[in-house]
Amino acid sequence: MNWLERIEESSARERKLLILSSVMAVLVVLSDQVTKWFFVLNYKLGESSSLIPGFLNFTYVRNLGAAWSVLSGKVWLLFITGLAAAAAIIWYFRKLAEGCAERYFALMLVLGGIAGNSFDRAFHGAVVDFIHVHYYNIWHYPIFNVADISICCGVGIFLISSFFRKPQEKQNG
């Protein structure tokens, strides 16, 4: 199987990719929720433990906004925006994927991440974050979670694919 070949719609190869990438999205949601519940059950809000001193901590926080706490307190707006983004990805899935195998996985990573954070917003009113990257007390990156990693990786893969792949030629007819 050549990963650079475009995939034909409704082919056996496309079905296999859809199944594999869907399983990956489900695993993203499960790992996201399991890790979040671990911190909810085992850490107090704001509690931190060092994994790599001066660089990486687990710090349990609840984010009422999106990345970098953008739109903080607008949980339902963010929830609806997440659902709209997921619906658009699903609706335009084949058009976005353009028959490129890596884009199936990229889009499913994004969907898995959206699902994980949307679940938190709907059922807990905030997103649980716990991965804290920093450089001593000089610099701190916003605390994030598995769903955030999944979204960023999916978007990154999609952008790299879009940059290096030529657009699919349109068929006349």
Side-chain angles (χ1 to χ4, degrees):
M1 172 166 33
N2 182 353
W3 284 93
L4 294 178
E5 287 178 13
R6 301 235 185 227
I7 299 154
E8 237 181 271
E9 284 186 16
S10 301
S11 67
R13 184 173 178 211
E14 186 191 42
R15 284 190 293 281
K16 183 178 178 181
L17 274 171
L18 282 169
I19 290 168
L20 287 173
S21 59
S22 296
V23 166
M24 183 193 59
V26 169
L27 291 173
V28 164
V29 174
L30 290 174
S31 63
D32 178 64
Q33 291 301 303
V34 165
T35 55
K36 288 173 179 176
W37 275 109
F38 173 82
F39 286 94
V40 168
L41 295 174
N42 294 292
Y43 280 63
K44 293 178 184 160
L45 194 59
E47 183 180 350
S48 187
S49 61
S50 181
L51 262 65
I52 302 173
F55 181 70
L56 180 64
N57 290 4
F58 282 148
T59 303
Y60 169 40
V61 298
R62 294 172 56 89
N63 186 352
L64 295 171
W68 293 279
S69 295
V70 171
L71 297 174
S72 188
K74 308 278 192 241
V75 176
W76 285 104
L77 175 63
L78 292 167
F79 177 76
I80 291 167
T81 302
L83 288 182
I89 290 169
I90 293 167
W91 186 264
Y92 293 106
F93 192 87
R94 282 187 168 144
K95 183 171 179 55
L96 290 167
E98 288 189 291
C100 302
E102 69 278 3
R103 292 185 193 171
Y104 284 71
F105 291 98
L107 293 167
M108 288 297 189
L109 280 170
V110 172
L111 286 173
I114 289 171
N117 283 340
S118 293
F119 183 88
D120 283 9
R121 287 188 179 103
F123 295 101
H124 306 293
V127 173
V128 172
D129 288 330
F130 56 89
I131 303 170
H132 183 193
V133 177
H134 60 96
Y135 182 73
Y136 295 93
N137 277 332
I138 298 169
W139 172 84
H140 293 267
Y141 192 79
I143 302 171
F144 56 96
N145 60 44
V146 172
D148 298 334
I149 294 168
S150 181
I151 292 168
C152 290
C153 288
V155 169
I157 292 166
F158 191 89
L159 290 173
I160 290 167
S161 173
S162 297
F163 183 73
F164 287 105
R165 291 258 200 174
K166 292 179 182 172
Q168 192 169 18
E169 293 180 18
K170 299 197 190 256
Q171 295 178 352
N172 293 332

